[in-house]
Amino acid sequence: MYQHNITRFNYTTYDVRRAQDVINPRTSHCNVMVLHSDNTMGCKGHRYIYGNVLGVYHVNVIFIGHGMVDYTPIRMEFLWIHWYESMDQYSTLHFLPLVDEHSFNFLDPADVLQGCHIIPHFAHGRRHDDGLGLSACVGDKEDWHEYYINW
């Protein structure tokens, strides 16, 4: 498994121009927007779901099974995501609890629409007042109670 520092997403803007988002899990430019499907977790009527990219990876896999042609490795890229949950019909979000079965997932980069800007709701404070989170891998010591989506 190979880890990468950044990933790039090309998308079309509202005025039909090409644009590119650079997502870096180690900076504040680490949030993505994905189109809601019927089988995704609790969207409460929203068109999109939002996630915080924790890692960018690729693996070289060899498909073994019905229809296999040869042992040529195929590059498979994926993102490790910590999902936000919508709190209301507006643009307020919060992270799903770490113990929730839908809190983390792997995502195909082809499913990402574009990067998005998610802003902490500073008035509600940090999730961990002591500055210690529950997981060093997730880096939740810096999490806030609520966030806003910057449209």
Side-chain angles (χ1 to χ4, degrees), residues 71-90:
Y71 289 100
T72 305
I74 300 169
R75 181 179 170 124
M76 181 177 170
E77 299 174 344
F78 58 95
L79 306 172
W80 181 32
I81 302 285
H82 187 190
W83 293 110
Y84 291 99
E85 179 181 41
S86 299
M87 296 177 63
D88 53 25
Q89 71 269 17
Y90 303 109

Side-chain angles (χ1 to χ4, degrees), residues 23-24 27-33 50-53 82 84 95 114-119:
I23 303 297
N24 185 341
T27 67
S28 62
H29 301 285
C30 59
N31 297 299
V32 293
M33 184 166 89
Y50 303 90
N52 180 280
V53 178
H82 187 190
Y84 291 99
F95 280 118
Q114 67 182 50
C116 60
H117 191 208
I118 295 179
I119 305 166

Side-chain angles (χ1 to χ4, degrees), residues 56-77:
V56 180
Y57 303 96
H58 92 264
V59 292
N60 296 318
V61 297
I62 298 173
F63 176 71
I64 299 176
H66 184 69
M68 179 184 138
V69 178
D70 59 9
Y71 289 100
T72 305
I74 300 169
R75 181 179 170 124
M76 181 177 170
E77 299 174 344

Side-chain angles (χ1 to χ4, degrees), residues 14-137:
Y14 68 94
D15 56 353
V16 195
R17 294 182 186 212
R18 285 185 274 181
Q20 186 177 70
D21 284 329
V22 178
I23 303 297
N24 185 341
R26 294 183 183 94
T27 67
S28 62
H29 301 285
C30 59
N31 297 299
V32 293
M33 184 166 89
V34 179
L35 191 61
H36 162 66
S37 65
D38 292 337
N39 60 357
T40 53
M41 72 324 158
C43 292
K44 300 179 185 173
H46 289 267
R47 281 191 208 169
Y48 309 106
I49 53 176
Y50 303 90
N52 180 280
V53 178
L54 300 174
V56 180
Y57 303 96
H58 92 264
V59 292
N60 296 318
V61 297
I62 298 173
F63 176 71
I64 299 176
H66 184 69
M68 179 184 138
V69 178
D70 59 9
Y71 289 100
T72 305
I74 300 169
R75 181 179 170 124
M76 181 177 170
E77 299 174 344
F78 58 95
L79 306 172
W80 181 32
I81 302 285
H82 187 190
W83 293 110
Y84 291 99
E85 179 181 41
S86 299
M87 296 177 63
D88 53 25
Q89 71 269 17
Y90 303 109
S91 54
T92 307
L93 305 170
H94 68 94
F95 280 118
L96 285 165
L98 297 180
V99 295
D100 189 293
E101 68 177 312
H102 299 293
S103 186
F104 301 95
N105 208 340
F106 295 105
L107 180 68
D108 183 349
D111 293 335
V112 173
L113 295 176
Q114 67 182 50
C116 60
H117 191 208
I118 295 179
I119 305 166
H121 187 182
F122 297 107
H124 286 262
R126 290 198 184 267
R127 184 175 253 176
H128 304 285
D129 293 330
D130 58 3
L132 302 173
L134 300 175
S135 171
C137 292

